Amino acid sequence: MKWIPLLAVVLLAANCQWTSPGGLLLAPATPAASMAEVAERLSAARSNDGFTRPLDAPLGPRCEAADDVVVRYPGHTDLLRLAESSDPLAVRVWLTGSVEGRRLADRVRPCFATFSPREPMALVYTGVVATSSDNGDPVAQVYVVALRGPFLAEVSWWWPAEYAEGVDPGRLDRGLDAVVAVLGAVSGGTGS
């Protein structure tokens, strides 16, 4: 009989898929100087809970205007779990230079309806989409594309949702807080 409460806790934990809290990213005073330094700065929050997005996948969300926008510069891709959000974040960062980064961001701008209130100059896409062609299991998706100095960054995350509910504002806010942490780690404490 003493094992029943313990068994209940274990089953509850397995059913809820509890995860360990995410890592904390520091925002150094200076921007990263290389892609190796970007990888090192993000390593504190690295997660093995899913898949990273390939560096050669199109930039931004699935969108006719951006299907052919592929970044061909040195880059780093990672899956992060941060303390700010319970959802894992797929992060891609490229060393494009500010002029080329701006050109690429402008090419995907038609896919984005809003700008982030927390991060000026960041494009933000939110939507609820089907996970298959037969409209099965909808998910909320968020993509953020931001230019920070010589770096172009894309951060995306998703969670199960319902079409009628739309994007959960609380999860969106927590995810945007995590985006701010990622951009600060890459570009330094100024975030610009």
Side-chain angles (χ1 to χ4, degrees):
M1 290 301 256
K2 293 180 183 181
W3 292 100
I4 291 176
L6 177 62
L7 182 60
V9 169
V10 169
L11 289 174
L12 178 64
N15 191 38
C16 293
Q17 298 176 351
W18 284 347
T19 58
S20 61
L24 293 173
L25 295 179
L26 301 177
T30 59
S34 66
M35 294 313 304
E37 190 174 349
V38 167
E40 183 181 328
R41 289 181 180 192
L42 298 179
S43 67
R46 187 164 293 127
S47 173
N48 295 322
D49 293 343
F51 300 98
T52 60
R53 290 197 69 205
L55 285 171
D56 61 353
L59 182 63
R62 294 180 109 183
C63 167
E64 193 172 307
D67 280 347
D68 63 343
V69 180
V70 176
V71 182
R72 301 198 189 284
Y73 285 86
H76 175 73
T77 185
D78 226 329
L79 185 70
L80 306 179
R81 185 172 296 278
L82 281 85
E84 291 85 351
S85 174
S86 61
D87 300 309
L89 279 74
V91 175
R92 300 189 300 167
V93 180
W94 298 271
L95 182 58
T96 61
S98 58
V99 172
E100 181 64 8
R102 169 85 50 211
R103 186 187 72 77
L104 290 163
D106 285 345
R107 286 194 56 205
V108 298
R109 189 176 301 276
C111 303
F112 292 84
T114 61
F115 294 88
S116 169
R118 285 194 181 82
E119 282 297 313
M121 305 307 297
L123 301 168
V124 179
Y125 164 86
T126 61
V128 177
V129 298
T131 56
S132 64
S133 59
D134 64 352
N135 291 329
D137 299 332
V139 296
Q141 288 183 331
V142 181
Y143 284 84
V144 177
V145 172
L147 184 62
R148 292 293 178 273
F151 298 103
L152 178 66
E154 176 199 79
V155 182
S156 60
W157 67 102
W158 64 271
W159 63 88
E162 295 298 329
Y163 292 111
E165 295 171 6
V167 174
D168 177 341
R171 277 182 116 157
L172 175 62
D173 286 344
R174 289 187 298 279
L176 290 174
D177 289 342
V179 169
V180 170
V182 169
L183 296 176
V186 170
S187 65
T190 62
S192 58

